[in-house]
């Protein structure tokens, strides 16, 4: 349990990789902002510290941003009444240190030579610092520490005249991961980086007033507004939506796809479809692979660490033929952080979120299934809690390979040194968390679960760098930065 700041505020989820960000945009709907708020609500799991919407009414842009959850930021009808227009984009932000400053809350807005322009970004640019330094030397006045603003300054300086050409010119200069939605007078734009690291989908909404198009991070945000999934925005594709329809452009050199495989393990909502796959089914597949790779024949019960461990535990139990049951109950009323009253309550964090179901697990040999171990702090406390409730054996099974490397593409990870799997091997981690046994799914097992025969060692089909250290997407600034710089860069640039 890490203390955050000086007020004994602790991060209840400090043993998880933090979600990244979520984006939503809609074109040609009279209630564009309201639908955007609904979409952002469905994407709340991708960012819980701040949210914002920018709308356009044909003449003016309107914005509301707040360091709040979506329901409280947009639950006031007076706020929604200010967000007029039939085009809107929105963003949910996650940042690491609890100091989300208003200037970093997206969508960002700027007046450019062609008029107003708003943009929301999910991902991390890996050459943002280099570009930022060059832009500052040319006189750019940055308003935020967000790497997204680099794109806007690049657009401002681009010689091209129209918004699309300016945006493509800027995107050709950036490296790293981005799924963007942007709007200006008369159109909505979506863009996905050439490797397609972060997700972005196109949806269609038919209604009395006609047809509207939606761009968003996950298909679950289409479901909530009644839109249907048309397709994914392809890696390297720029989609322009205007009154004439949807126009697809491919302005970049083709690169091998590197979709984040961790979306399947943890980040995405299980009711979303990604690459045509049900995220829920993939998680069950991972659990089944794990049961084949790391059986535990003597166990009485398979217990998920809820909520994220549930689908994998169902898959594990079904494959192993061991009963599945809810041996840990999760509170749904706990936020991300809480004030720690005293050092004596050092297990409070885990107990606020999870409690052992003693009547079920007392006297049982238990397989605990979780999605990942990052720092190891929560896993240790959960194992202790399950033992204290009377389990006679606790066998931990993890539905990801060991998380041994940092992510530079939009996921908040500790520096390598803070990752338990970077410092310890599996036996050492098992001893540290106090489990009777510990197994992780293998990298090839994970690839099998997502439908591949195995990982292609020459050209991996996915980004899996946090498990393998194989950073196929450029790291640039981060490669040469010190550990502290990296953490600062990641935190400042987190979108
Ligand atoms: Fe996803 Fe890991 Fe790659 Fe980051 S490093 S994009 S979390 S697979």
């Amino acid at each position: 349990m890490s203390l955050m700041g000086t007020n004994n505020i602790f991060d209840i989820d400090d043993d998880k990789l933090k979600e990244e960000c979520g984006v939503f945009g809609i074109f040609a709907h009279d209630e564009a902002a309201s639908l955007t708020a609904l979409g952002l609500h469905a994407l709340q799991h991708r960012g819980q510290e701040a949210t914002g919407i920018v709308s356009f009414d044909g003449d003016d842009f309107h914005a509301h941003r707040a360091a709040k959850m979506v329901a409280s930021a947009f639950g006031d009808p007076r706020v929604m009444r200010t967000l007029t227009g039939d085009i809107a984009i929105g963003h949910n932000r996650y940042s690491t240190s609890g100091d989300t400053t208003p200037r970093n809350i997206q969508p960002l807005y700027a007046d450019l030579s062609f008029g107003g322009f708003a943009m929301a970004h999910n991902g991390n640019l890996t050459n943002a610092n280099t570009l930022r330094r060059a832009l500052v030397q040319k006189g750019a006045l940055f308003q935020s520490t967000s790497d997204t603003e680099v794109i806007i300054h690049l657009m401002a300086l681009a010689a091209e005249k129209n918004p699309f050409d300016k945006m493509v010119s800027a995107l050709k200069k950036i490296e790293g991961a981005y799924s963007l939605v942007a709007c200006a007078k008369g159109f909505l734009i979506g863009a996905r980086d050439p490797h397609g690291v972060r997700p972005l989908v196109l949806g269609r909404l038919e209604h009395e007033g006609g047809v509207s198009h939606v761009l968003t991070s996950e298909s679950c945000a289409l479901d909530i507004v009644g839109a249907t999934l048309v397709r994914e925005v392809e890696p390297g594709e720029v989609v322009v939506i205007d009154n004439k329809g949807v126009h697809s452009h491919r302005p970049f050199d083709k690169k091998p796809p590197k979709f984040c495989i961790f979306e399947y393990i943890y980040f995405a909502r299980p009711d979303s479809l990604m690459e045509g796959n049900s995220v829920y089914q993939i998680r069950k597949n991972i659990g089944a692979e794990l049961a084949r790779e790391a059986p535990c024949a003597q166990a009485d019960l398979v217990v998920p660490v809820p909520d994220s461990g549930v689908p994998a535990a169902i898959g594990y139990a079904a494959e192993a033929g061991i009963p599945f049951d809810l041996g840990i109950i999760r509170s749904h009323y706990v936020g991300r952080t809480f004030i720690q009253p005293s050092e004596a309550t050092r297990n409070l964090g885990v107990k606020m979120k999870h409690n052992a179901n003693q009547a079920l697990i007392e006297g049982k040999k238990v397989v605990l299934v979780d999605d990942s171990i990052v720092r190891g702090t929560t896993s240790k406390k959960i194992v202790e809690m399950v033992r204290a409730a009377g389990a006679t054996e606790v066998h931990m099974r993890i539905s990801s390979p060991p998380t041994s490397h940092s992510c530079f593409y939009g996921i908040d990870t500790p520096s390598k040194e803070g990752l338990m799997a970077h410092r310890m091997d599996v036996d050492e981690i098992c001893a540290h968390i106090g489990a009777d046994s510990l197994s992780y799914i293998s990298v090839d097992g994970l690839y099998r679960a997502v439908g591949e025969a195995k990982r292609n060692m020459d050209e991996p089909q996915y980004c899996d760098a946090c498990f393998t250290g194989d950073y196929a997407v450029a790291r640039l600034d981060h490669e040469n930065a010190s550990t502290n710089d990296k953490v600062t860069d990641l935190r400042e640039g987190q979108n």
Side-chain angles (χ1 to χ4, degrees):
M1 183 186 304
S2 64
L3 295 180
M4 296 171 63
T6 54
N7 295 322
N8 284 7
I9 302 292
F10 66 84
D11 181 354
I12 285 165
D13 271 338
D14 84 335
D15 206 12
K16 294 284 180 198
L17 295 187
K18 296 301 189 292
E19 301 83 347
E20 357 137 25
C21 291
V23 296
F24 187 98
I26 184 164
F27 182 85
H29 198 291
D30 287 347
E31 295 186 73
S34 297
L35 295 182
T36 301
L38 276 174
L40 292 177
H41 195 271
L43 298 174
Q44 189 73 85
H45 60 289
R46 296 185 78 88
Q48 299 166 7
E49 297 203 358
T51 187
I53 293 176
V54 172
S55 67
F56 180 65
D57 66 10
D59 293 314
D60 296 313
F61 287 82
H62 310 278
H64 182 74
R65 307 176 185 87
K68 294 178 178 175
M69 302 274 273
V70 175
S72 64
F74 298 109
D76 183 341
R78 289 169 299 182
V79 168
M80 295 314 298
R81 278 198 289 272
T82 67
L83 297 171
T84 54
D86 67 353
I87 307 175
I89 64 170
H91 186 264
N92 285 343
R93 173 181 163 84
Y94 173 73
S95 79
T96 57
S97 55
D99 62 348
T100 295
T101 52
R103 63 189 182 144
N104 281 342
I105 301 176
Q106 296 196 24
L108 300 184
Y109 173 85
D111 282 308
L112 300 180
S113 57
F114 57 79
F117 181 79
M119 178 181 280
H121 172 201
N122 171 202
N124 247 94
L125 306 185
T126 50
N127 63 341
N129 291 338
T130 303
L131 292 170
R132 189 185 181 97
R133 278 192 290 273
L135 286 161
V136 168
Q137 280 186 352
K138 285 183 185 166
L141 299 171
F142 276 81
Q143 303 292 311
S144 76
T145 57
S146 162
D147 55 357
T148 312
E149 196 181 346
V150 168
I151 304 173
I152 290 175
H153 282 283
L154 289 171
M155 286 180 69
L157 290 176
E160 289 79 2
K161 292 279 179 269
N162 75 56
F164 172 78
D165 291 339
K166 276 184 178 294
M167 188 162 164
V168 168
S169 164
L171 296 183
K172 283 185 171 173
K173 295 184 174 68
I174 61 176
E175 296 278 354
Y178 55 85
S179 282
L180 302 168
V181 293
C183 66
K185 183 170 186 172
F187 66 86
L188 177 71
I189 288 190
R192 202 166 167 208
D193 70 76
H195 291 290
V197 178
R198 306 257 69 91
L200 190 65
V201 297
L202 172 67
R204 176 184 166 93
L205 175 59
E206 293 184 19
H207 51 93
E208 283 179 359
V211 174
S212 305
H213 287 97
V214 179
L215 291 163
T216 186
S217 301
E218 291 188 36
S219 62
C220 65
L222 299 176
D223 297 340
I224 197 170
V225 299
T228 52
L229 174 64
V230 175
R231 62 178 178 85
E232 308 228 331
V233 176
E234 299 283 326
E237 184 181 8
V238 180
V239 172
V240 179
I241 300 167
D242 62 19
N243 283 332
K244 293 184 183 141
V246 179
H247 315 278
S248 170
H249 303 266
R250 294 176 187 279
F252 312 115
D253 294 339
K254 199 168 168 55
K255 293 191 176 167
K258 296 287 173 218
F259 183 52
C260 168
I261 204 163
F262 224 130
E263 292 279 353
Y264 283 122
I265 298 165
Y266 174 66
F267 301 131
R269 242 173 68 160
D271 51 337
S272 284
L273 297 171
M274 295 203 152
E275 303 181 301
N277 302 311
S278 152
V279 171
Y280 182 78
Q281 184 58 49
I282 296 278
R283 288 181 190 166
K284 283 173 68 179
N285 296 349
I286 297 172
E289 283 289 342
L290 193 50
R292 288 190 282 274
E293 288 186 350
C296 189
Q298 76 272 32
D300 302 308
L301 213 52
V302 174
V303 169
V305 178
D307 288 332
S308 49
V310 171
I314 292 172
Y316 188 102
E319 179 65 22
I322 301 171
F324 166 94
D325 229 323
L326 298 180
I328 297 174
I329 304 300
R330 179 187 168 175
S331 165
H332 288 272
Y333 306 101
V334 61
R336 206 5 102 57
T337 58
F338 204 77
I339 297 163
Q340 186 178 31
S342 76
E343 286 299 316
T345 56
R346 63 193 179 83
N347 282 331
L348 182 66
V350 72
K351 285 264 174 110
M352 281 182 69
K353 184 170 174 185
H354 293 121
N355 194 24
N357 185 355
Q358 184 170 358
L360 184 74
I361 61 180
E362 190 162 17
K364 303 267 176 48
K365 297 176 187 127
V366 171
V367 175
L368 276 184
V369 180
D370 202 355
D371 58 82
S372 56
I373 298 177
V374 179
R375 294 180 173 85
T377 46
T378 302
S379 303
K380 183 177 166 68
K381 286 167 191 160
I382 284 181
V383 172
E384 278 171 11
M385 185 174 73
V386 171
R387 279 199 199 287
T392 54
E393 293 180 20
V394 183
H395 301 273
M396 190 68 125
R397 298 291 180 268
I398 303 297
S399 66
S400 62
T403 308
S404 50
H405 294 76
S406 302
C407 175
F408 301 99
Y409 312 129
I411 303 299
D412 174 38
T413 36
S415 63
K416 240 173 17 182
E417 295 70 25
L419 293 167
M420 181 164 271
H422 183 73
R423 301 191 311 271
M424 298 181 189
D425 64 23
V426 174
D427 288 343
E428 289 170 326
I429 295 172
C430 183
H432 179 84
I433 66 174
D436 292 288
S437 71
L438 167 67
S439 295
Y440 294 80
I441 188 138
S442 68
V443 172
D444 276 340
L446 176 59
Y447 272 78
R448 282 193 296 276
V450 298
E452 302 286 345
K454 59 186 218 170
R455 181 180 194 261
N456 180 345
M457 299 302 279
D458 297 328
E459 189 60 77
Q461 302 91 322
Y462 288 88
C463 178
D464 54 22
C466 48
F467 311 125
T468 62
D470 187 351
Y471 291 96
V473 184
R475 294 169 65 188
L476 303 180
D477 288 347
H478 297 293
E479 198 102 72
N480 300 317
S482 71
T483 300
N484 284 341
D485 286 346
K486 284 179 190 173
V487 173
T488 305
D489 290 351
L490 283 168
R491 288 181 172 179
E492 290 189 344
Q494 191 78 38
N495 291 303

